[in-house]
Amino acid sequence: MPSPQFIQLHREDDAALRQELAQGLLGQPASVSPKFLYDALGSRLFDAITELPEYYPTRTERAIFDAHAPAMAALVGPGRTLIDLGAGSCEKAARLFPVMQPARYVAVDISVDYLRQALASLQRQHPGVEMLGVGADFSSALELPREAGGGERLLFYPGSSIGNFTPEAALRFLRQARQEGGAGGALLIGVDLVKARPVLELAYDDPLQVTAAFNLNLLRRLNALLGCDARLEDFAHVALFNEAASRIEMHLQARRDLTLHWPGGERRLAAGERIHTENSYKYTVGGFDGLLREAGFARTTCWTDERRWFAVFLAS
Ligand SMILES: C[S@@+](CC[C@H](N)C(=O)[O-])C[C@H]1O[C@@H](n2cnc3c(N)ncnc32)[C@H](O)[C@@H]1O
């Protein structure tokens, strides 16, 4: 049984990461990049979120793939290198294997331990597909290693992870994705669409409080990576739809006046003050199509569900 090759491009104990975290905490307002939400526990909590009845994106995107994957595959053609950006459990890509028939699968994620496990298990189920794992942080630049290989590439970016970028940063990312795709490359991307506030806010603030646990896990990461002394019980999970910016925002709100300390720094937070932890931008079909074209994709096809809650675009 082949075991997947793995390449590690980023380091978790980096001084630069500590500086990035400290800088974010000292900002006005305080913020922490959503990429820090994902360690092995964060990835498992995210997977639990996708099972929640309130979290419509995963279910809706899956229904779009179930209905239209053959049409997508007909446009893409078999034998591609399927490059899964932010692969997580690798489940979405794995469901596409039978219809897309990739020659090679490259899974990229910042949550390295979780990705290693997911990929090893996937390789056992698909011994005939060559697989490569890449531990990478693509928040500032998407640069695939040489080992990702040549051939015709299909970049896969599901789950509306593109929504974690501001529209300007999303445009930069899409341009890099087009470049990394190379000649004959294509991008298959899932995008969450604008909808009524209650539906959006419930999806990011479920009564079982799994999303709250996912958000609060960030404080454990702050403590582990930065040596911070945050107490989880001092913070509340807040999720709100900022309609003007067309984004769901997640915050951690201080329940009392407090000071966070870490080696070389501190941050006072008044009761009610927040640490901004994630944005999830919501697009219209026309708006996202325009972004793809601005990024240099000449041909786009879009599939949505009946309620037009979610969209999958194929761009080349
Ligand atoms: C919203 S989850 C989506 C997971 C899966 N693709 C899906 O659609 O269900 C985002 C994924 O991207 C990964 N991720 C987040 N920030 C990242 C970064 N800066 N670089 C690489 N991977 C990142 C996370 O670890 C996580 O697996």
Side-chain angles (χ1 to χ4, degrees), residues 195-219:
K195 59 187 65 62
R197 173 188 297 274
V199 179
L200 285 169
E201 290 186 344
L202 199 60
Y204 291 83
D205 193 5
D206 57 286
L208 197 55
Q209 305 217 317
V210 183
T211 316
F214 174 66
N215 197 10
L216 286 161
N217 181 48
L218 197 77
L219 297 171

Side-chain angles (χ1 to χ4, degrees), residues 34-35 38 43 46-47 50 55 58 61 84-89 92 108-111 136-139 158-161 164:
K35 70 186 182 191
Y38 297 94
S43 294
F46 177 76
D47 284 350
T50 67
Y55 194 77
T58 307
E61 188 184 41
D84 193 352
L85 303 172
S89 67
K92 285 186 186 168
V108 187
D109 208 291
I110 197 169
S111 187
D137 172 4
F138 50 60
S139 55
S160 205
S161 294
N164 293 151

Side-chain angles (χ1 to χ4, degrees), residues 21-32:
L21 282 168
Q23 248 176 20
L25 284 178
L26 293 171
Q28 283 299 346
S31 66
V32 177

Side-chain angles (χ1 to χ4, degrees), residues 108-300:
V108 187
D109 208 291
I110 197 169
S111 187
V112 176
D113 294 338
Y114 191 68
L115 179 63
R116 275 183 194 278
Q117 276 182 26
L119 202 59
S121 140
L122 193 65
Q123 182 77 84
R124 283 193 290 277
Q125 293 161 40
H126 299 273
V129 181
E130 188 188 335
M131 296 190 188
L132 169 71
V134 180
D137 172 4
F138 50 60
S139 55
S140 49
L142 174 65
E143 285 166 6
L144 295 170
R146 200 171 20 86
E147 292 83 344
E152 288 208 314
R153 290 177 164 182
L154 173 63
L155 271 63
F156 183 49
Y157 198 33
S160 205
S161 294
I162 191 74
N164 293 151
F165 291 111
T166 62
E168 299 72 38
L171 179 60
R172 274 198 301 279
F173 185 86
L174 292 173
R175 285 198 171 118
Q176 288 165 357
R178 187 175 58 78
Q179 266 165 12
E180 290 292 336
L187 170 69
L188 188 60
I189 183 166
V191 182
D192 198 11
L193 301 177
V194 178
K195 59 187 65 62
R197 173 188 297 274
V199 179
L200 285 169
E201 290 186 344
L202 199 60
Y204 291 83
D205 193 5
D206 57 286
L208 197 55
Q209 305 217 317
V210 183
T211 316
F214 174 66
N215 197 10
L216 286 161
N217 181 48
L218 197 77
L219 297 171
R220 291 179 60 256
R221 305 236 47 223
L222 271 180
N223 292 350
L225 294 171
L226 187 60
C228 192
D229 59 356
R231 288 158 33 110
L232 274 61
E233 53 274 35
D234 286 341
F235 289 85
H237 165 68
V238 173
L240 53 91
F241 183 47
N242 177 339
E243 202 168 344
S246 195
R247 68 187 191 205
I248 279 278
E249 296 176 5
M250 289 206 317
H251 300 264
L252 290 165
Q253 180 169 305
R255 293 183 190 272
R256 59 177 184 85
D257 295 347
L258 57 88
T259 304
L260 297 175
H261 307 90
W262 62 90
E266 63 175 39
R267 171 67 198 245
R268 289 170 67 90
L269 292 170
E273 216 176 321
R274 293 169 177 168
I275 304 174
H276 190 165
T277 55
E278 191 185 71
N279 289 321
S280 185
Y281 281 83
K282 307 302 168 190
Y283 287 91
T284 60
V285 166
F288 197 78
D289 192 72
L291 206 62
L292 285 169
R293 287 175 186 277
E294 210 179 327
F297 290 99
R299 275 197 306 274
T300 60

